[in-house]
Amino acid sequence: MEVRLKILFTSLCHTDVYFWEAKGQTPLFPRIFGHEAGGIVESVGEGVTDLEPGDHVLPVFTGECKECRHCKSEESNMCDLLRINTDRGVMLNDGKSRFSINGQPIYHFVGTSTFSEYTVVHVGCVAKINPAAPLDKVCVLSCGISTGLGATLNVAKPGKGSTVAIFGLGAVGLAAAEGARMAGASRIIGVDLNSKRFNEAKKFGVTEFVNPKDHGKPVQEVIAEMTGGGVDRSVECTGNINAMISAYECVHDGWGVAVLVGVPNKDDAFKTHPMNVLNEKTLKGTFFGNYKPRSDLPLVVEKYMNKELQLEKFITHEVPFSEINKAFDYMLRGDSLRCVIRMDA
Ligand code: NAD
Ligand code: ZN
């Protein structure tokens, strides 16, 4: 059930940076990072029937076996077999890695390891897409952009004319904003500590901005004042625990829904007064925007192909593979949304 992919383009998502920094986790080294990518099937292993060499594909950090309770449920994308596992650095089939150097294993990362010219992936983590789709653009749908978009469209589900707050205006947050715009939200409030983000965010339909550093009180209070009690929906895309709590507390009582997307630090704990829950504020979270990778991702690619969704504005940088470290610098400086890395250069 394995496929070998030739990776043509990959891009850097904050999750790679987070696991590279290995804050508070048990790091598994050496390993090959990378999980946002586009490529071509080079060969297929025993048992693979729905992919063949030459197919254009996006690998995904979480999978869809199509057999388990989750895959059969309309509500879940948390596949029992292939859901994201950041501790497993080996293939499911034999518990071994497909990468080595001088006989020593190099581990996999979230089942994808796309910072490599070739990688081996479980077939359930591979979405076959329209071969006409340009892989240097749609590669960003393999994680961040689909995650943000789906967090809004599939999980937060804002109604027409609603007010939505987006915490964190990186690529994931701006994709969430794009989802709010597509859903017809009338006010989209962007929250970020980095004011450089605000200009860019206008292109994504963000109508108002809040930098928590500019206010002497919690950002949830600022938002409550701006909106007459709170927003209808909020989507958190920072990975910062305080932002997660603010994103929850800033939704309106009675109907507000907050969706967490950011990956927290290992020892973080979410703390809020239970009265907020009794007051009918709802807290949700999602991996990969609730999209099922194999069934749904090809349809997200079609949204790009029929111009419902623009991807160019997310791609702020491009570098050859030999300069991949620049992509890390751009992200750490807060200068990039997505830096696409070209593997053949
Ligand atoms: P990014 O670094 O480009 O963007 C994060 C933004 O959040 C930055 O602009 C930063 O200034 C801002 N920020 C940080 N702390 C903040 C705070 N306390 N208040 C307000 N803003 C704050 O990262 P990205 O690639 O857009 O990813 C965003 C998050 O989503 C990361 O935590 C990443 O790990 C996570 N992620 C989750 C999934 C999933 O399936 N759940 C998928 C992809 C990425
Ligand atoms: Zn499954």
Side-chain angles (χ1 to χ4, degrees), residues 35-266:
H35 64 283
E36 209 175 82
I40 292 181
V41 175
E42 185 261 353
S43 55
V44 301
E46 214 173 292
V48 175
T49 52
D50 56 355
L51 285 175
E52 53 182 59
D55 283 344
H56 286 215
V57 294
L58 304 180
V60 183
F61 65 87
T62 190
E64 180 184 355
C65 75
K66 298 197 177 186
E67 308 278 336
C68 74
R69 293 167 303 157
H70 290 274
C71 288
K72 291 194 166 138
S73 151
E74 292 213 341
E75 290 176 305
S76 173
N77 68 342
M78 299 293 292
C79 175
D80 273 334
L81 185 69
L82 297 164
R83 77 169 64 166
I84 184 173
N85 183 329
T86 56
D87 297 328
R88 188 181 62 230
V90 293
M91 298 305 287
L92 278 175
N93 178 42
D94 58 0
K96 289 190 182 142
S97 170
R98 299 291 173 266
F99 301 107
S100 67
I101 184 163
N102 301 328
Q104 294 301 310
I106 305 177
Y107 295 107
H108 296 245
F109 175 62
V110 293
T112 51
S113 292
T114 60
F115 296 161
S116 168
E117 292 163 282
Y118 290 90
T119 188
V120 177
V121 178
H122 191 285
V123 65
C125 298
V126 180
K128 177 176 167 177
I129 61 161
N130 183 342
L135 286 169
D136 60 336
K137 304 291 183 295
V138 297
C139 64
V140 298
L141 288 173
S142 136
C143 173
I145 311 305
S146 301
T147 295
L149 192 71
T152 305
L153 293 178
N154 301 334
V155 189
K157 298 184 181 164
K160 259 198 165 40
S162 58
T163 301
V164 180
I166 307 288
F167 285 69
L169 302 175
V172 177
L174 291 174
E178 191 77 347
R181 188 187 57 75
M182 288 161 76
S186 60
R187 291 176 72 188
I188 305 176
I189 303 171
V191 182
D192 203 297
L193 296 170
N194 175 359
S195 294
K196 281 194 270 181
R197 292 282 192 214
F198 293 165
N199 231 350
E200 190 129 48
K202 286 182 194 149
K203 289 186 227 157
F204 297 83
V206 174
T207 56
E208 290 149 84
F209 302 100
V210 178
N211 187 333
K213 287 191 208 154
D214 295 343
H215 301 271
K217 54 186 157 195
V219 64
Q220 49 274 48
E221 286 177 27
V222 178
I223 291 176
E225 282 168 18
M226 289 168 72
T227 54
V231 290
D232 303 311
R233 298 289 187 265
S234 77
V235 186
E236 177 279 330
C237 308
T238 69
N240 178 282
I241 186 68
N242 296 317
M244 294 179 191
I245 294 166
S246 301
Y248 173 59
E249 294 184 353
C250 82
V251 300
H252 207 285
D253 54 16
W255 61 76
V257 178
V259 178
L260 305 188
V261 176
V263 176
N265 284 340
K266 191 174 165 229

